[in-house]
Amino acid sequence: MKKYDRQRIILSLIEDQVVETQEELTELLLQHGVRATQATISRDIKELRITKVQTDEGVYKYTVIDAMRDTLNERLRKIFKSAVLSFEINENRIYVNTISYAATVTAQAINIKKIEGIAAILSGHDTIFIDVKKDYDVNKVLNELKDMIV
């Protein structure tokens, strides 16, 4: 397997789940058909600018150091906080009302949050339509959205 493909898989793994150790990363790579030595994984971690951060639960996990992305995400969170006016639930849908022309950027903030249970997001100029997956608790999704304002 080429280095680029292996590194792409590593980035995907650490983005999608909590990976705490190189041994755990090695095992996950094996599950994806990738054999790599500890030295190779260590070099990949350095080249990809991966570091460990402490989660809210107190465990350390690998994450990518990306200052530009973090800056953008922080700006989107600030826009979300200042742009959202109200939420409304209708069956398995949530409608988010925003200030004029802020819905698209606000929807992007929701998208980067990767809230479990969201099937689709559609935005206009002052309204966001969120379709919640069938049989998923719409109130749980709403609470996650409300937590973004706090």
Side-chain angles (χ1 to χ4, degrees), residues 10-145:
I10 289 171
L11 289 172
S12 176
L13 288 169
I14 66 168
E15 185 172 315
D16 294 341
Q17 54 195 301
V18 175
V19 180
E20 298 178 36
T21 65
Q22 285 187 16
E23 293 79 19
E24 189 177 343
L25 184 56
T26 302
E27 188 61 37
L28 290 168
L29 286 168
L30 278 173
Q31 292 172 14
H32 284 82
V34 179
R35 292 189 187 277
T37 65
Q38 186 276 330
T40 299
I41 291 173
S42 185
R43 277 191 301 273
D44 287 341
I45 287 171
K46 184 176 181 180
E47 287 177 21
L48 294 169
R49 299 186 64 211
I50 295 171
T51 189
K52 281 191 172 182
V53 296
Q54 190 172 18
T55 66
D56 293 338
E57 294 79 29
V59 298
Y60 286 88
K61 71 170 193 156
Y62 284 113
T63 190
V64 178
I65 301 171
D66 190 343
M68 284 300 288
R69 182 174 160 193
D70 289 345
T71 302
L72 175 61
N73 290 352
E74 186 57 37
R75 280 193 253 161
L76 287 172
R77 282 190 287 274
K78 287 178 183 177
I79 290 169
F80 184 91
K81 288 179 181 184
S82 62
V84 172
L85 299 174
S86 66
F87 300 100
E88 182 180 329
I89 293 178
N90 184 355
E91 296 180 8
N92 71 323
R93 291 174 291 281
I94 300 172
Y95 301 97
V96 182
N97 189 21
T98 70
I99 60 176
S100 293
Y101 302 102
T104 302
V105 176
T106 305
Q108 182 63 26
I110 296 168
N111 195 39
I112 64 165
K113 182 76 170 156
K114 296 183 180 179
I115 297 171
E116 189 175 341
I118 293 179
I121 301 173
L122 180 67
S123 65
H125 79 279
D126 67 354
T127 305
I128 303 168
F129 169 84
I130 301 172
D131 187 37
V132 178
K133 293 177 182 175
K134 185 179 178 182
D135 299 327
Y136 198 86
D137 184 0
V138 69
N139 288 303
K140 186 174 180 182
V141 174
L142 179 62
N143 288 335
E144 292 258 359
L145 292 169

